[in-house]
Amino acid sequence: GIQVEQSPPDLILQEGANSTLRCNFSDSVNNLQWFHQNPWGQLINLFYIPSGTKQNGRLSATTVATERYSLLYISSSQTTDSGVYFCAVRNTNAGKSTFGDGTTLTVKP
Amino acid sequence: EPEVTQTPSHQVTQMGQEVILRCVPISNHLYFYWYRQILGQKVEFLVSFYNNEISEKSEIFDDQFSVERPDGSNFTLKIRSTKLEDSAMYFCASTAGTGTIQTRKAYEQYFGPGTRLTVT
């Protein structure tokens, strides 16, 4: 099956810093989503981004499907950004999602 | 915005007991899924369901597990005889599919808030 690797596994930042999280995948994909898992365990959908670039406030994401990677950018980080960020991919439109291991982000005040 | 709901939010059960986790997918969605996440690990696929039948299942989804869409709105996951290792967060998800809404949203997967299952 498709392999998903996220890096770095852990990231510690000071409030206000910027960061880039990476997701590499081993095969072509039709769908890619980024999620933030909050302290209560809920998966918050950040971006549905099978290709191209999207922005939502301080967050943006870019997927280069031909090179099999996606990047999540967080600018001016806040303590509320802390948590685990997951990348999930699918190689069929309505098929199962394969998740990466996640990046644990800690933003210190 | 429509959302997937799950009940209960937390369930505690004794080993060997049967549990049913309930989900209400987004109305008019066609594809349904269950995932689980053992504490501290990544989210793993269990099963997908379409047109009233299982379309795909993982190795985890053995004979102890079953899914059902008993009516037009609910989607359930049953674990027949729970084991300690079934303790996890269980997520339900749904996807619209072609033609039901805007194309760009047709295959976005929407996740519910999860049910935390604790087996003692």
Side-chain angles (χ1 to χ4, degrees):
Chain A
I2 194 165
Q3 304 297 314
V4 181
E5 289 185 3
Q6 291 187 242
S7 60
D10 299 283
L11 187 57
I12 300 174
L13 301 174
Q14 282 300 129
E15 201 167 25
N18 302 329
S19 60
T20 301
L21 282 58
R22 187 176 181 103
C23 172
N24 291 335
F25 39 95
S26 62
D27 205 347
S28 58
V29 298
N30 288 2
N31 296 280
L32 188 146
Q33 292 180 245
W34 281 97
F35 296 91
H36 175 216
Q37 188 162 41
N38 65 21
W40 297 271
Q42 297 174 341
L43 290 170
I44 308 302
N45 189 12
L46 298 176
F47 293 102
Y48 171 68
I49 186 166
S51 63
T53 298
K54 289 187 179 179
Q55 179 150 11
N56 184 6
R58 295 181 296 103
L59 273 59
S60 64
T62 295
T63 297
V64 184
T66 53
E67 297 188 21
R68 299 181 185 169
Y69 73 89
S70 182
L71 302 173
L72 177 69
Y73 305 97
I74 304 174
S75 64
S76 304
S77 56
Q78 301 174 356
T79 56
T80 51
D81 294 332
S82 295
V84 185
Y85 289 80
F86 288 104
C87 164
V89 304
R90 280 179 284 155
N91 54 14
T92 57
N93 277 333
K96 66 180 181 186
S97 285
T98 299
F99 281 73
D101 288 338
T103 292
T104 301
L105 175 65
T106 303
V107 181
K108 296 189 170 183
Chain B
E1 185 169 321
E3 57 183 22
V4 176
T5 60
Q6 291 185 242
T7 54
S9 56
H10 190 191
Q11 174 133 18
V12 181
T13 190
Q14 288 193 325
M15 196 167 51
Q17 295 296 305
E18 175 183 285
V19 294
I20 298 176
L21 310 183
R22 303 181 191 279
C23 168
V24 179
I26 293 174
S27 177
N28 295 327
H29 277 198
L30 301 177
Y31 299 86
F32 314 110
Y33 314 81
W34 283 101
Y35 294 82
R36 80 169 187 192
Q37 183 184 30
I38 294 171
L39 186 64
Q41 298 185 20
K42 66 180 176 184
V43 179
E44 301 173 290
F45 168 75
L46 289 178
V47 65
S48 58
F49 193 86
Y50 171 71
N51 200 24
N52 282 321
E53 60 183 24
I54 290 173
S55 46
E56 187 175 2
K57 59 183 181 180
S58 71
E59 296 173 348
I60 304 167
F61 194 88
D62 61 21
D63 292 343
Q64 294 292 341
F65 292 89
S66 62
V67 289
E68 192 177 33
R69 189 154 162 83
D71 52 41
S73 59
N74 291 285
F75 180 50
T76 61
L77 174 69
K78 182 194 291 186
I79 309 175
R80 265 179 268 283
S81 178
T82 50
K83 305 173 196 155
L84 294 176
E85 53 264 38
D86 293 327
S87 294
M89 181 78 104
Y90 288 81
F91 293 102
C92 172
S94 68
T95 293
T98 305
T100 54
I101 54 176
Q102 296 170 269
T103 301
R104 69 179 178 91
K105 289 279 198 179
Y107 296 109
E108 185 168 352
Q109 207 160 72
Y110 293 81
F111 281 75
T115 293
R116 186 171 299 282
L117 177 65
T118 302
V119 182
T120 61

